[in-house]
Amino acid sequence: MNITDLPFIQQKMIRYGMTIYFALGIIGNIFNCIIFTQSTYRRTPSSIYFLSLSIVSIIYLIWLMFPIFYSLDHSDLQTKSLFYCKTRLYVGHCLGQCIRYIVVFACIDRYIITQTNFHIRSLSSIQIAVKIVFTISLIWFIIGIHVPILMSIRENVCGMFDLYKLIYAIYQIILVGLLPPILMIIFSSLTIRTLQYRHAAQIRIRKRDRYLMRMLIAEVIINIVTSIPYSTNLVYGAITYYVVSKSSKRLEIETFITFVTQFLIYLIGVAPFYLFISTAKPFRKRFINLLRHVRVFPRNELHTTG
């Protein structure tokens, strides 16, 4: 018997809130894929990073959310199959890391493109961006191999236990909560500083580059906002793992907080399209033109706004 209403609230959030969340994420990322493959965008390395971000986000949302929806009306497959328990978190973890580090290298690319040195700027190219995306994916699926090796099922729970729970929390706080946001902030700050210097020197900056930078900064902010609560909760869970006198009420509260932090972390896969459309006027225009092209709305009912 439940002590609080939190399990009921969590179930409703999954059934209704997360369903909307999932639909918005899939639809938004599909629009991203269509827009970033158009001729205006596909000539820039940034578009490769944003397109890759959208494709990985679609896979990420489907891989992690479908099992959650299934478990609403069926038994949780993670508690029945050790192979599935290991595989689901392993793939989900690696995809999440790919999303974060694609954003990191998009920040680095924006910094490189603002440099005046030709040899440094030559490092920003579509070919290099494609190679980096594939390299990121390969590296994280190698680094994350410890997850399926050390995870297990105990007392009908699929997760980390004993010392590995603490080690995983430290690993997460460093490689999820600290390193990506720090790198994003460093290279975004350097890019903004360089752009300000160039503007002061009256060197023309293309509007497209400014809007791409806005889109990237919005993505950086959402990554920082979502990663900190998630990593902090992991550390709390590891520290209090050996507390044996937890009440039923405390356990329900901790389970709900864990769910909320996971709910937030899924934003990295849901938010990109809505961040881009709210921060970049050219992107909004492209989206409206796309709607006109497929005749979602009559032409005379669509008006662009600043």
Side-chain angles (χ1 to χ4, degrees):
M1 181 178 177
N2 297 328
I3 307 299
T4 68
D5 292 330
L6 294 178
F8 174 78
I9 295 172
Q10 178 176 326
Q11 189 177 48
K12 293 302 179 184
M13 286 179 68
I14 294 173
R15 188 176 296 277
Y16 302 109
M18 195 170 281
T19 302
I20 297 172
Y21 209 45
F22 175 78
L24 290 174
I26 296 298
I27 293 170
N29 282 302
I30 289 173
F31 279 130
N32 277 348
C33 291
I34 295 171
I35 292 172
F36 286 120
T37 52
Q38 293 181 350
S39 58
T40 304
Y41 281 103
R42 65 171 178 247
R43 293 192 297 266
T44 64
S46 291
S47 67
I48 299 299
Y49 291 112
F50 289 142
L51 176 61
S52 302
L53 174 67
S54 302
I55 293 171
V56 176
S57 294
I58 291 172
I59 302 170
Y60 176 76
L61 292 174
I62 293 173
W63 181 262
L64 289 179
M65 287 193 174
F66 264 22
I68 296 175
F69 299 145
Y70 179 84
S71 65
L72 283 173
D73 301 309
H74 305 83
S75 59
D76 189 351
L77 294 176
Q78 289 186 112
T79 63
K80 306 298 180 183
S81 168
L82 181 60
F83 174 78
Y84 180 70
C85 163
K86 292 172 177 285
T87 304
R88 180 174 179 267
L89 185 60
Y90 167 61
V91 176
H93 166 70
C94 294
L95 290 173
Q97 290 296 80
C98 288
I99 290 173
R100 294 181 187 93
Y101 284 86
I102 285 172
V103 176
V104 168
F105 277 92
C107 292
I108 295 173
D109 177 78
R110 283 292 88 197
Y111 172 66
I112 289 173
I113 204 66
T114 61
Q115 300 305 295
T116 55
N117 185 293
F118 171 77
H119 296 291
I120 295 177
R121 284 205 317 275
S122 66
L123 296 175
S124 175
S125 70
I126 291 175
Q127 292 78 12
I128 290 177
V130 170
K131 291 177 182 178
I132 286 174
V133 169
F134 278 105
T135 303
I136 289 171
S137 303
L138 177 62
I139 288 174
W140 276 110
F141 273 88
I142 294 173
I143 291 176
I145 199 66
H146 60 89
V147 175
I149 293 174
L150 297 173
M151 282 191 67
S152 61
I153 298 176
R154 291 188 188 177
E155 298 179 358
N156 212 33
V157 175
C158 167
M160 293 88 173
F161 302 95
D162 302 325
L163 180 61
Y164 181 55
K165 190 175 182 70
L166 178 60
I167 293 172
Y168 184 77
I170 296 171
Y171 161 85
Q172 284 282 85
I173 199 73
I174 294 172
L175 295 180
V176 174
L178 291 177
L179 187 58
I182 288 172
L183 292 174
M184 292 175 193
I185 290 171
I186 288 173
F187 284 100
S188 296
S189 300
L190 289 173
T191 303
I192 292 171
R193 181 179 177 183
T194 303
L195 289 174
Q196 289 175 340
Y197 173 79
R198 290 177 64 185
H199 179 70
Q202 296 183 341
I203 298 175
R204 183 174 175 267
I205 305 167
R206 289 181 297 179
K207 285 185 178 181
R208 185 185 63 190
D209 289 334
R210 291 203 301 267
Y211 283 121
L212 286 171
M213 192 63 212
R214 286 185 191 177
M215 293 160 68
L216 191 55
I217 289 173
E219 189 64 35
V220 168
I221 292 171
I222 204 69
N223 270 270
I224 294 172
V225 169
T226 57
S227 64
I228 292 175
Y230 178 72
S231 299
T232 302
N233 184 63
L234 280 174
V235 173
Y236 169 81
I239 293 172
T240 61
Y241 177 70
Y242 291 103
V243 177
V244 295
S245 58
K246 290 183 180 181
S247 65
S248 298
K249 182 178 180 180
R250 178 174 175 177
L251 288 172
E252 287 187 9
I253 292 172
E254 288 181 354
T255 300
F256 183 74
I257 291 174
T258 298
F259 167 75
V260 171
T261 59
Q262 291 174 338
F263 190 86
L264 287 175
I265 208 74
Y266 294 148
L267 268 176
I268 63 172
V270 174
F273 170 76
Y274 306 98
L275 294 175
F276 298 161
I277 205 168
S278 62
T279 56
K281 184 178 178 181
F283 190 88
R284 287 197 298 274
K285 287 184 175 180
R286 284 286 166 186
F287 176 62
I288 290 172
N289 288 336
L290 176 63
L291 296 183
R292 284 176 174 168
H293 180 72
V294 297
R295 299 184 183 276
V296 173
F297 301 114
R299 289 179 179 269
N300 58 1
E301 290 184 12
L302 285 170
H303 303 279
T304 59
T305 59

